[in-house]
Structure formats: C-alpha cells, structure tokens
Amino acid sequence: MSYNPFSLEGKTILVTGASSGIGRASAIECSRLGAKVIITGRNEERLQETFNCLEGEGHLCFKCEMTIQEEIEKLVAEIPALNGVVLCAGRSRSLPILFSTRDKFDEIFNVNFFAPVELLRQLCKKKKMVSQSSAVFIVSIGGTKRYTPGNAIYGTSKAALQSIINYYAVELGHKKIRVNGINPGMVETPLIHHGTLTQEQLDEDKKKYPLERYGQPEDIAHAVAFLLSDATSWMTGHCMVIDGGITAK
C-alpha cells in the first residue's frame, strides 16, 4: 500500500447523528477512506439508509437516544475500542431572548452540549478510546463567530461546546487522545429547513457568502476525515472554521 497519512484504513470510527446531514456524510466518507464505521441515531429507518450507503465491511449500527443516560452507557458497553468518534447529533431552536425560557435552553443544551460531552466522558472513562485516537465535535460559527437575533439558545450551546473542547484537549493529552472541533457555516441539511427562515430568506442569505453558496455536508465530512487521520496527529484543542468565507467579511 502506498503511503497516505490521510487514510483511515485500520481505524474504527463512531459517528453520532448519522441518520442525516453532516453525520451521514461523515459516516459515508469514513467508510470510503477505509474505516470500520459504527453509526448511531434516533431514527432507525434513516439510520438504516445511512448504513446501506457505507462502503466496505465490518460496520455496525446502533439506535441510541443520546439524551438518555442509560442508552449512552449501553452504547459504550456494546461497542468495540475506537480510534475516533465524530459527535454530530444536534438540534436548532430560534427564539428571541425574551422568550428563551429555562426549559427551552435545557431542551437544546441536553442535545447539543450535555449528550456529546457525556458520551465522550464515558468513552474515555471506560477506556474505549485507544491511544492516538481522535474526537471531533461539530460546533458552529453561530455563537462562536457570528451572533444573530433569535439564535441565542443554539449559539450559546455551541459556544459551551467549543469551550469544553479545550478542556478535553488539555486533560486527555497525556492519554494521547486528540480533541478538536469544526465550526461550519450554513450547511444544506434538514436542520436549516426546520427553522424560522423561509426558502426565499435562505436564498437571499446565501448571497452574503463570498463563495455565494451554503456548504454541502460533504464539505464538512472531508474536514472530519482529516481530523480523524494521522495527518493531524499533532493537532488538538482547535476548532476549524469552514464557512464559505462568511466570517471573513
């Protein structure tokens, strides 16, 4: 085999939120690069669709509700040792701050922050992350680079996620576990179409991007694979901004 530091051959990768969007694209890309992929999600039918798209053999599929502690523990107990984990599961919520009550914050933080943070904690505590492994969180430019009206709940959940990446990187470094994140701009996933913006508003917003388009899930999946590979073996505690240039303006 020719030398390729970007290959995922011989690696076992867990991808959460793999039933759609960035999670699905990341799982498929990892399989194309030679990894054995374990996928999880809440929607069993869509998860199976992703599973059917994986290339190669040896992949596994688990239905898991990440906001339920017992299901996280069950997942961790059942999966093999990992060389990487991609934490993609997330939800959006658009509300003005004056209507952003505690229960609305809890709803989004439970999915976007507490669930992935707890999963990684359990994976490390149960020694499922091997030496030289890599964890990749999907964060966002919302709440970390851009602050738009109505985005306080989602944005602060992502800002908290970006912060804890640094703590994980510092505390897991001696175990040779790398922890990084990706801050996407707007990506063409079902998530953006479940918000309050109309298609006309979305089309108008695209024009603000220097590259004049939103990202595709594959644009982020390629960066995910990069962070999982040995090519980034000296990279930890960093969040890559991939946003079509919108935060450069």
Side-chain angles (χ1 to χ4, degrees), residues 3-8 11 132 134 178 180 222-236:
Y3 171 68
N4 181 4
F6 303 97
S7 171
L8 299 181
K11 296 184 185 294
Q132 309 299 329
S134 171
R178 298 181 292 111
N180 295 289
H222 294 154
V224 166
F226 173 62
L227 291 174
L228 292 170
S229 75
D230 293 341
T232 53
S233 62
W234 203 48
M235 183 174 171
T236 194

Side-chain angles (χ1 to χ4, degrees), residues 14-16 38-41 61-66 69-80 119 123 128:
L14 170 65
V15 182
T16 73
I38 304 167
I39 60 172
T40 72
C61 179
F62 294 91
K63 183 175 181 293
C64 180
E65 173 51 73
M66 295 276 291
Q69 181 71 23
E70 292 76 15
E71 292 207 19
I72 289 180
E73 293 175 359
K74 184 174 183 289
L75 174 67
V76 172
E78 292 181 350
I79 62 176
L119 175 58
L123 289 172
K128 289 299 177 82

Side-chain angles (χ1 to χ4, degrees), residues 193-206:
H193 297 289
H194 291 162
T196 58
L197 297 179
T198 65
Q199 186 59 52
E200 186 178 51
Q201 289 172 314
L202 291 171
D203 291 339
E204 193 64 30
D205 185 58
K206 291 177 188 178

Side-chain angles (χ1 to χ4, degrees), residues 42 64-69 71-72 107 110-112 115:
R42 293 182 299 173
C64 180
E65 173 51 73
M66 295 276 291
T67 60
I68 299 176
Q69 181 71 23
E71 292 207 19
I72 289 180
E107 179 185 339
N110 283 338
V111 176
N112 290 0

Side-chain angles (χ1 to χ4, degrees), residues 3-235:
Y3 171 68
N4 181 4
F6 303 97
S7 171
L8 299 181
E9 289 282 349
K11 296 184 185 294
T12 300
I13 308 295
L14 170 65
V15 182
T16 73
S19 58
S20 66
I22 294 171
R24 171 176 288 182
S26 296
I28 294 170
E29 186 66 18
C30 287
S31 74
R32 287 174 176 168
L33 290 170
K36 290 184 178 180
V37 182
I38 304 167
I39 60 172
T40 72
R42 293 182 299 173
N43 187 303
E44 197 165 5
E45 182 179 346
R46 294 207 310 264
L47 200 60
Q48 187 61 48
E49 290 173 2
T50 301
F51 191 79
N52 293 341
C53 293
L54 300 179
E55 297 184 12
E57 299 178 348
H59 310 302
L60 298 172
C61 179
F62 294 91
K63 183 175 181 293
C64 180
E65 173 51 73
M66 295 276 291
T67 60
I68 299 176
Q69 181 71 23
E70 292 76 15
E71 292 207 19
I72 289 180
E73 293 175 359
K74 184 174 183 289
L75 174 67
V76 172
E78 292 181 350
I79 62 176
L82 303 173
N83 303 101
V85 58
V86 187
L87 300 148
C88 289
R91 287 187 61 187
S92 180
R93 187 70 185 260
S94 298
L95 278 176
I97 286 180
L98 296 184
F99 294 91
S100 299
T101 54
R102 172 61 187 270
D103 62 309
K104 302 294 194 307
F105 271 94
D106 286 346
E107 179 185 339
I108 300 303
F109 265 74
N110 283 338
V111 176
N112 290 0
F113 180 77
F114 292 116
V117 167
E118 174 61 12
L119 175 58
L120 183 56
R121 187 185 76 85
Q122 288 283 344
L123 289 172
C124 294
K125 187 176 180 181
K126 302 298 183 182
K127 296 181 170 54
K128 289 299 177 82
M129 299 290 287
V130 304
S131 180
Q132 309 299 329
S133 60
S134 171
V136 182
F137 286 89
I138 301 301
V139 192
S140 175
I141 61 169
T144 60
K145 299 291 182 181
R146 301 193 82 203
Y147 306 88
T148 54
N151 209 35
I153 297 177
Y154 176 81
T156 52
S157 73
K158 292 299 188 175
L161 201 58
Q162 176 158 316
S163 178
I164 206 165
I165 285 171
N166 294 302
Y167 289 102
Y168 262 128
V170 169
E171 295 194 22
L172 297 180
H174 73 284
K175 295 179 180 293
K176 304 299 184 289
I177 298 172
R178 298 181 292 111
V179 185
N180 295 289
I182 296 174
N183 289 359
M186 290 286 271
V187 177
E188 293 282 1
T189 70
L191 188 68
I192 69 171
H193 297 289
H194 291 162
T196 58
L197 297 179
T198 65
Q199 186 59 52
E200 186 178 51
Q201 289 172 314
L202 291 171
D203 291 339
E204 193 64 30
D205 185 58
K206 291 177 188 178
K207 297 176 183 177
K208 300 175 184 177
Y209 282 69
L211 294 181
E212 299 181 340
R213 70 173 177 90
Y214 286 163
Q216 294 297 319
E218 291 74 19
D219 292 321
I220 310 305
H222 294 154
V224 166
F226 173 62
L227 291 174
L228 292 170
S229 75
D230 293 341
T232 53
S233 62
W234 203 48
M235 183 174 171

